[in-house]
């Protein structure tokens, strides 16, 4: 588990592949006085990820890591993590699966946000599957990353109600609004704040 030692903020890297709206909410949170983290690195496997713009806006360095080969990609990521003294990794819409080796190396230091009430609806196309199954509720989950997909220890969840006319798109936006609040809240919980 990550320990807060004194007033120093925990150096955090956020991994993204797409829009980066969770990255933005984490950056805004990190800049609050009572936040336990500072975001000092953004990693993306996708040079076209829209979320990279937040690195520019908030002046946080980013590294694009090409994923032609996972072993090589993870070696580069590990070098970046070491060079930047990163202590916590937040996955935020990062669409690559991390290897068992990588996860073991940073055991207890990698968090993820998933748009369902885990353990239900692990994996992709969550909202579509939730709607097809006529669920009454869905939500989002922040959890530790372990070697099984979307299966690590749950830190915090938020439930949302599904309307009768809900579509996967409307559900996705409704849940995303909650994700932006949940990720910072889960990080505070981790540090007993
Ligand atoms: C979010 O729904 C997150 O739960 C999932 O991927 C999406 C990323 O959205 N893992 P964004 O890139 O943070 O806007």
């Amino acid at each position: 588990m990550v320990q807060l030692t004194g007033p120093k903020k925990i150096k955090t890297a956020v991994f993204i592949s797409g829009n980066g709206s969770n990255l933005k909410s984490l950056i805004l949170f990190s800049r609050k006085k009572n936040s336990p983290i500072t975001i000092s690195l953004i990693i993306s496997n996708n040079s076209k990820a829209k979320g990279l713009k937040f690195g520019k806006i908030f002046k946080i360095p980013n590294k694009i890591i090409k994923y032609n080969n996972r072993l090589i990609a993870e070696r580069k990521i590990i070098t970046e993590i070491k060079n930047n003294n990163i202590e916590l990794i937040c996955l935020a819409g990062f669409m690559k699966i991390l290897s068992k080796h990588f996860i073991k190396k940073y055991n207890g230091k990698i968090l993820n946000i998933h748009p369902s009430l885990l353990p239900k609806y692990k994996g992709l196309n969550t909202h579509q599957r939730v709607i097809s199954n006529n669920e009454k509720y869905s939500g989002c989950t922040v959890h530790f990353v372990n070697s099984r997909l979307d299966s690590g220890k749950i830190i915090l969840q938020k439930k949302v109600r599904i309307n009768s006319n809900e579509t996967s798109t409307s559900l996705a936006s409704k849940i995303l609004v909650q994700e932006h609040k949940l990720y910072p809240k889960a990080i505070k919980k981790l540090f007993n704040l």
Side-chain angles (χ1 to χ4, degrees):
M1 183 78 80
V2 197
Q3 295 292 334
L4 251 194
T5 49
K8 197 175 82 34
K9 291 195 178 198
I10 297 290
K11 289 189 119 194
T12 302
V14 181
F15 289 23
I16 64 165
S17 300
N19 288 334
S21 67
N22 278 289
L23 164 66
K24 183 187 174 197
S25 92
L26 287 173
I27 296 173
L28 294 176
F29 164 65
S30 74
R31 304 217 161 174
K32 289 188 176 162
K33 212 176 145 204
N34 66 349
S35 161
I37 62 163
T38 177
I39 296 172
S40 29
L41 180 65
I42 297 163
I43 287 196
S44 179
N45 62 301
N46 173 11
S47 61
K48 295 195 170 69
K50 288 194 184 140
L52 288 169
K53 69 171 182 254
F54 297 118
K56 293 199 181 76
I57 295 172
F58 293 99
K59 302 202 167 27
I60 300 170
N62 70 61
K63 279 284 160 196
I64 313 289
I65 308 281
K66 280 209 187 107
Y67 248 79
N68 299 331
N69 174 306
R70 184 168 73 175
L71 188 67
I72 295 171
E74 288 190 352
R75 271 194 202 136
K76 288 182 184 159
I77 295 177
I78 290 169
T79 304
E80 290 301 329
I81 288 174
K82 280 189 189 145
N83 289 347
N84 290 279
N85 301 311
I86 297 299
E87 301 158 281
L88 180 69
I89 295 169
C90 291
L91 307 183
F94 185 62
M95 300 305 284
K96 294 290 174 187
I97 307 265
L98 297 167
S99 71
K100 285 196 172 66
H101 165 78
F102 186 94
I103 293 167
K104 206 171 155 198
K105 190 172 172 66
Y106 299 107
N107 185 30
K109 295 182 176 183
I110 313 176
L111 313 181
N112 183 39
I113 187 154
H114 184 76
S116 80
L117 292 174
L118 291 174
K120 293 178 100 178
Y121 301 101
K122 298 171 183 173
L124 297 175
N125 301 320
T126 319
H127 307 302
Q128 192 51 61
R129 288 185 285 135
V130 164
I131 301 275
S132 308
N133 285 343
N134 292 313
E135 296 280 3
K136 293 277 170 290
Y137 294 94
S138 188
C140 45
T141 305
V142 176
H143 64 96
F144 285 106
V145 172
N146 70 7
S147 55
R148 282 169 297 119
L149 184 69
D150 299 328
S151 299
K153 188 167 177 263
I154 291 172
I155 301 165
L156 216 53
Q157 292 188 304
K158 174 72 184 179
K159 200 170 172 181
V160 306
R161 195 171 158 74
I162 298 173
N163 299 326
S164 52
N165 59 348
E166 203 84 66
T167 63
S168 59
T169 317
S170 69
L171 182 60
S173 0
K174 195 153 103 181
I175 290 179
L176 202 55
V177 173
Q178 297 305 324
E179 290 184 38
H180 300 156
K181 298 179 192 164
L182 192 74
Y183 219 154
K185 230 173 151 182
I187 292 172
K188 276 176 136 179
K189 186 180 171 197
L190 258 191
F191 293 100
N192 301 314
L193 294 171

